[in-house]
Amino acid sequence: MGEFDLIRRFFQRPAAAGVEVGVGDDCAVLVPTPGARWLVSSDMLVEGRHFLSTVDPARLGHKALAVNLSDLAACGATPRGFTLALALPRADEAWLAGFAQGLWALADASGIPLIGGDTTQGPLNLCLTVFGEAPPGQALLRSGARVGDEIWVSGRLGDARLALEVFRGRVVLAGEAFEQVRVAMELPTPRLALGQALRGVATAALDISDGLLGDLGHLLAASGVGATLELAALPRSAVLAVQPPAVQQECLLAGGDDYELVFTAPPGARLPDVGVPLTRIGRIEAAPGLRVVDARGERVDHGLRSFDHFQS
Amino acid sequence: MGEFDLIRRFFQRPAAAGVEVGVGDDCAVLVPTPGARWLVSSDMLVEGRHFLSTVDPARLGHKALAVNLSDLAACGATPRGFTLALALPRADEAWLAGFAQGLWALADASGIPLIGGDTTQGPLNLCLTVFGEAPPGQALLRSGARVGDEIWVSGRLGDARLALEVFRGRVVLAGEAFEQVRVAMELPTPRLALGQALRGVATAALDISDGLLGDLGHLLAASGVGATLELAALPRSAVLAVQPPAVQQECLLAGGDDYELVFTAPPGARLPDVGVPLTRIGRIEAAPGLRVVDARGERVDHGLRSFDHFQS
């Protein structure tokens, strides 16, 4: 199987609505919605850093797209298309069939067509770039949080990190409990409907990929504000809730790979119900920095920091 | 130096015109030109496949962007922005400074802002995605060639491949001659002005990245036509012109890494003069397939095929 057969067999389909030219020319050609802004994000996944070499290829196909869609969700964008650049050690048909199946399933469910990309031989590396649209002035940015805003998070935090700790041998879980956290790690759900519903409601938003502390820190820095987080309020699964407190803290505050949205909104804002639980976890304050407090309001000395690819 | 310092130091600048939000949020936000189409292309460069590990990082920064811009040029697009996803074995400041300098020099010269991307630890891999615009119906595609059209190519072919053969030890060149072909390999010029000037003139176009035979073959297949190429007409440098005929043939027909435009236009079409030499190299015909003929019109049995990442 050559390079172009590979593309045709696994990654080429008739062009979708709004796509004048899809896979197969030098560029894809898309028709923007009149007046809309274009939102663009790119994420690269490397074996051993972002996924384990043993992961089911269908789950990897899902996750590679999901983490990119999560950035569109964080900005409240409507997905319009994505490119996929793949470096593969070899053209392994079974692996490619699985990968493509997981990728297309999420692409179809999210209404986002694959419009182009690249295929090359090399150490396994997946680089996706996603495009979306939002009305002018309505993209959710990190910079809009205001003193007095409440801080909210979608879904639950920490399960993906707990699964990683099982793979690392630091935590023991079996059966259903392991399967549940493994699904959180391998099959994250991008919060696209929530992001779009938060346009005009949230003052700032981002998605949690490197851990709540670090990611929320970016939002605070961009907005020029500080915050207090309530550790007890952080939403967690029943599986995580029975782990030792230190494990819970690490998974909740610095876990990463959550792909939930954290956003700010004024008290009393009418939050959308799109079937995703939303939990109030803290408040924006004028004093710079991010304080974590326990149920009695006392500072928690967690000693944690966020994931950094060159300092971890 | 951590991941976010690295981004700030080397890859973050104030947002450019037309870019509402640049590097630093979950997505970049761009303002499309009303009525224009969006063109998107993505290319991934892997060490040892697309560049040698010994390459000057500034030249690599140039080339990584150049090969992507070449796809916009091939479609006649005006550049609007690009993302850069980088996997690096380590955060080497001297390497990054050189890479960024070469990247920014070409970005500035081409008027294309860096709007976002990703940085991760891993085997060296550069994945860029470029965005451009063209008026509706004016993007140059591979599919528009018509029987009777002439086939044209910009610049000169084969020097990049000749340089590769020197590195491989199959050809010996020294001094100025080697430097000239090495520049062709390491510092290709994307033909952006030519591509834009060919809107409404060329019937089909693409850029030569995998070799003239293979790339032109894609154009013929997309257009449902055949062609005859005149080997003697293929433009070559004085350095390549004194190589043995078999080396010349291989470099000209199957060289790759040329990043020149090959395009078709009706006889008598008024071709643009943007300071890039254009050479007529053949003609589109109804009979399927791609025939190469010598100066007497006799078929050349070249036995060459185009580069394929999974069959080379």
Side-chain angles (χ1 to χ4, degrees), chain A residues 151-157 189 191 193-195 198 208 233-237 259-263 271-281:
Chain A
I151 305 171
W152 294 80
V153 71
S154 65
R156 296 185 304 221
L157 302 179
T189 304
R191 299 303 188 188
L194 176 61
L198 285 171
I208 306 175
L234 297 178
R236 68 204 78 184
S237 68
Y259 303 104
E260 295 294 349
L261 299 190
V262 57
F263 62 93
L271 298 182
D273 180 1
V274 296
V276 180
L278 302 177
T279 307
R280 190 167 58 79
I281 61 170

Side-chain angles (χ1 to χ4, degrees), chain A residues 1-6 20-21 24-33 35-47 49-50 70-75 77 83-91 115-123 125-131 136-137 139-143 205-207 210 215 218 222 307-311, chain B residues 1-6 20-21 24-33 35-47 49-50 70-75 77 83-91 115-123 125-131 136-137 139-143 205-207 210 215 218 222 307-311:
Chain A
M1 180 172 52
E3 180 179 353
F4 299 100
D5 296 325
L6 186 163
E20 282 189 349
V21 177
D25 214 296
D26 293 289
C27 294
V29 181
L30 293 98
V31 185
T33 303
R37 294 294 181 263
W38 270 81
L39 285 82
V40 178
S41 185
S42 202
D43 266 318
M44 178 176 266
L45 287 83
V46 176
E47 184 176 281
R49 301 291 292 186
H50 301 90
S70 183
D71 285 314
L72 290 183
C75 289
T83 59
L84 167 68
L86 266 181
L88 300 168
R90 62 197 168 282
I115 59 164
D118 196 10
T119 315
T120 181
Q121 202 276 336
N125 184 308
L126 318 170
C127 181
L128 285 79
T129 305
V130 290
F131 321 101
L140 304 175
L141 304 178
R142 300 174 174 191
S143 52
L206 50 57
D207 71 318
D210 293 339
D215 287 320
H218 295 313
F307 185 77
D308 186 307
H309 279 288
F310 295 102
Q311 294 184 331
Chain B
M1 181 171 53
E3 181 179 354
F4 298 101
D5 297 324
L6 187 163
E20 283 189 348
V21 177
D25 215 296
D26 292 289
C27 294
V29 181
L30 293 98
V31 185
T33 303
R37 293 295 182 261
W38 270 81
L39 285 82
V40 179
S41 183
S42 203
D43 265 319
M44 177 177 268
L45 286 83
V46 176
E47 184 176 282
R49 301 292 292 187
H50 301 89
S70 184
D71 284 314
L72 289 184
C75 289
T83 59
L84 168 68
L86 265 180
L88 300 168
R90 63 197 167 283
I115 58 165
D118 196 11
T119 315
T120 181
Q121 203 275 337
N125 184 305
L126 317 170
C127 181
L128 285 80
T129 306
V130 290
F131 321 100
L140 303 175
L141 304 179
R142 300 176 173 189
S143 50
L206 49 58
D207 71 318
D210 292 340
D215 287 320
H218 295 311
F307 185 77
D308 185 308
H309 278 288
F310 295 102
Q311 293 183 332

Side-chain angles (χ1 to χ4, degrees), chain B residues 50-187:
Chain B
H50 301 89
F51 56 91
L52 304 172
S53 60
T54 52
V55 70
D56 170 15
R59 291 189 170 194
L60 181 59
H62 172 100
K63 185 166 179 176
L65 181 56
V67 306
N68 277 277
L69 289 177
S70 184
D71 284 314
L72 289 184
C75 289
T78 305
R80 285 296 310 272
F82 74 103
T83 59
L84 168 68
L86 265 180
L88 300 168
R90 63 197 167 283
D92 177 332
E93 295 194 31
W95 189 93
L96 279 161
F99 178 83
Q101 183 256 311
L103 182 84
W104 284 111
L106 180 60
D108 291 343
S110 309
I112 189 169
L114 174 62
I115 58 165
D118 196 11
T119 315
T120 181
Q121 203 275 337
L124 187 55
N125 184 305
L126 317 170
C127 181
L128 285 80
T129 306
V130 290
F131 321 100
E133 291 185 325
Q138 292 200 31
L140 303 175
L141 304 179
R142 300 176 173 189
S143 50
R146 291 170 299 206
V147 173
D149 281 353
E150 294 173 329
I151 306 171
W152 294 80
V153 71
S154 65
R156 296 184 305 221
L157 301 179
D159 276 2
R161 174 61 176 270
L162 187 60
L164 182 62
E165 297 302 334
V166 174
F167 281 108
R168 285 173 168 169
R170 283 184 51 200
V171 170
V172 176
L173 281 182
E176 266 307 299
F178 174 54
E179 198 48 40
Q180 180 192 308
V181 298
R182 184 178 187 167
V183 163
M185 180 174 86
E186 295 180 347
L187 292 172

Side-chain angles (χ1 to χ4, degrees), chain A residues 86 138 197 217 227-228 275 280 282 301:
Chain A
L86 266 181
Q138 291 199 33
T228 292
R280 190 167 58 79
D301 180 18

